[in-house]
Amino acid sequence: MGIPTEPIGSIPRPPALLSAMAGGDAAALAAAQSAAVADTISRLEQTGSPVLVDGEQSKPSFATYPITGMTALAPDGAVIPFADGHTRQLPVLTGGPFRYQVHAESYLRAAREHTSLPVKQAVIAPSALSLLYPAAGIDGYPRKAFVDDLIAEAEADIRGCLDAGAHVVQVDFTEGRLSLKLDPSGGLLDDFIALNNQVLDRFSADERARIGVHTCPGGDQDSTHSADVDYAGLLPKLFGLHAGNFYVQLASEAEPDRVLGIIAEHLPPGARVFVGVTDPIDPRVETPEQVRDRVLAAARHLPADRLGTCDDCGFSPFADDISTSRDIAFAKIAARVEGTALAARELGV
């Protein structure tokens, strides 16, 4: 059966797409996005990847695709600081009702036109989108009404992908680790977990087996927002999410064996963990042997039938991030695929 291996999501955009993004011509942009998706699928197939993604070539970012084109927004929302000093800022909602303008199902259907292989689809966690609601509230649109709308929209986003044939749906939850920096008491994390579970609990056990949650310390312009937050505070609560798969950044961790011990202690029965074996913000391309050794280290803590591999994070979660080249991203993915196969053979699975 081997050890399953999957990409996380984003791939750096090609120059033609970056140029079209800056050009302001909607038709040219759509054509460039379509060409970039086709090229991404083709190059992932060439790496031998058994599960594909569209590389988020048509998303403005992993977090903001649902609000693309929304008018009831102001620019001065939550600010996310990164370790190198740069920031990303979310918009803030100015009115309701809250409705997704774009559903991830549309990206999945476009990707599946180019391949017969399994395709996974990443969606943003409702907890991240909850940050759009202003602390001061909105006249005539209370927070409870917003949360009810958000839960319904997030469910529809995931369900649409499952119904459209997604191999799995990955819920991006990068704000989980960040929440412990914003609120070391863990109260904000508890709120995020509870909100996400309100969505996940709308799915059957069989459906949740095709839903996973991704955690990482952020990855943008070769920097992170929460790598200094100890996983010991996050992982036990993360595994309280009602999902069948967990994708955990690990290759860039300073103490991977300690983290693996935490995972082994708290991983829910029946769930599978995909551990990160390539670091997207390190320009050095891992060798297949390095990947193999990381998988074997994980297998000393976890049974092989509950283990998978992934990249730590997406390679370009914000469309304008060009800190990693497209060629390096595909080289790292190829090393992950080959190294995972090497480990599987050594483990006899």
Side-chain angles (χ1 to χ4, degrees), residues 205-229:
D206 286 346
E207 289 169 332
R208 288 197 296 271
R210 293 171 56 204
I211 299 173
V213 176
H214 171 235
T215 184
C216 72
D220 182 44
Q221 298 179 17
D222 285 350
S223 188
T224 62
H225 55 53
S226 54
D228 55 338
V229 174

Side-chain angles (χ1 to χ4, degrees), residues 185-242:
S185 76
L188 180 59
L189 176 59
D190 290 339
D191 290 345
F192 281 170
I193 296 286
L195 174 59
N196 291 337
N197 273 338
Q198 287 188 72
V199 175
L200 293 170
D201 286 344
R202 295 186 170 203
F203 295 89
S204 69
D206 286 346
E207 289 169 332
R208 288 197 296 271
R210 293 171 56 204
I211 299 173
V213 176
H214 171 235
T215 184
C216 72
D220 182 44
Q221 298 179 17
D222 285 350
S223 188
T224 62
H225 55 53
S226 54
D228 55 338
V229 174
D230 193 336
Y231 256 150
L234 172 66
L235 292 178
K237 293 185 176 183
L238 177 84
F239 292 133
L241 286 166
H242 303 159

Side-chain angles (χ1 to χ4, degrees), residues 9-236:
S10 60
I11 301 291
R13 282 70 169 175
L17 175 53
L18 293 170
S19 178
M21 287 165 52
D25 184 321
L29 176 58
Q33 288 171 334
S34 180
V37 169
D39 182 68
T40 299
I41 293 289
S42 175
R43 293 190 66 175
L44 282 173
E45 287 182 335
Q46 291 169 30
T47 69
S49 183
V51 175
L52 310 181
V53 290
D54 75 342
E56 302 188 350
Q57 303 297 284
S58 301
K59 285 184 180 179
S61 82
F62 79 105
T64 59
Y65 70 87
I67 58 173
T68 302
M70 184 179 287
T71 56
L73 294 172
D76 52 343
V79 176
I80 302 171
F82 286 79
D84 66 354
H86 87 275
T87 62
R88 294 283 184 176
Q89 186 168 23
L90 295 173
V92 64
L93 197 66
T94 59
F98 178 73
R99 298 289 185 269
Y100 280 27
Q101 307 300 294
V102 177
H103 283 87
E105 171 192 348
S106 62
Y107 305 123
L108 174 67
R109 291 189 183 277
R112 293 191 69 202
E113 292 179 1
H114 300 287
T115 185
S116 59
L117 291 176
V119 180
K120 74 182 289 188
Q121 181 60 53
V123 302
I124 188 60
S127 51
L129 294 177
S130 72
L131 298 173
L132 296 173
Y133 193 84
I138 298 173
D139 288 343
Y141 190 51
R143 182 174 181 84
K144 183 182 183 307
F146 164 73
V147 170
D148 289 344
D149 287 342
L150 172 59
I151 289 170
E153 290 295 298
E155 177 196 0
D157 203 33
I158 296 171
R159 193 171 299 284
C161 295
L162 292 175
D163 291 347
H167 172 67
V168 291
V169 176
Q170 172 188 293
V171 179
D172 286 327
F173 185 45
T174 183
E175 71 279 9
R177 199 167 181 177
L178 177 63
S179 73
L180 290 171
K181 177 175 282 189
L182 302 176
D183 176 15
S185 76
L188 180 59
L189 176 59
D190 290 339
D191 290 345
F192 281 170
I193 296 286
L195 174 59
N196 291 337
N197 273 338
Q198 287 188 72
V199 175
L200 293 170
D201 286 344
R202 295 186 170 203
F203 295 89
S204 69
D206 286 346
E207 289 169 332
R208 288 197 296 271
R210 293 171 56 204
I211 299 173
V213 176
H214 171 235
T215 184
C216 72
D220 182 44
Q221 298 179 17
D222 285 350
S223 188
T224 62
H225 55 53
S226 54
D228 55 338
V229 174
D230 193 336
Y231 256 150
L234 172 66
L235 292 178

Side-chain angles (χ1 to χ4, degrees), residues 249-338:
Q249 164 265 345
L250 188 64
S252 55
E253 280 296 303
E255 299 178 277
D257 275 330
R258 183 176 70 89
V259 175
L260 285 164
I262 298 170
I263 294 172
E265 181 180 356
H266 294 282
L267 185 66
R272 184 186 296 272
V273 62
F274 290 73
V275 297
V277 292
T278 56
D279 180 0
I281 65 175
D282 185 343
R284 297 169 295 182
V285 176
E286 292 83 357
T287 67
E289 291 74 22
Q290 286 176 310
V291 170
R292 175 201 62 200
D293 291 346
R294 289 171 178 172
V295 180
L296 295 177
R300 289 193 286 271
H301 294 266
L302 297 154
D305 63 354
R306 301 184 67 195
L307 180 63
T309 67
C310 61
D311 310 303
D312 269 3
C313 301
F315 288 89
S316 182
F318 296 90
D320 61 357
D321 181 4
I322 57 173
S323 58
T324 300
S325 78
R326 195 166 169 85
D327 287 343
I328 285 177
F330 286 115
K332 283 175 172 280
I333 290 169
R336 169 172 51 78
V337 172
E338 183 178 349

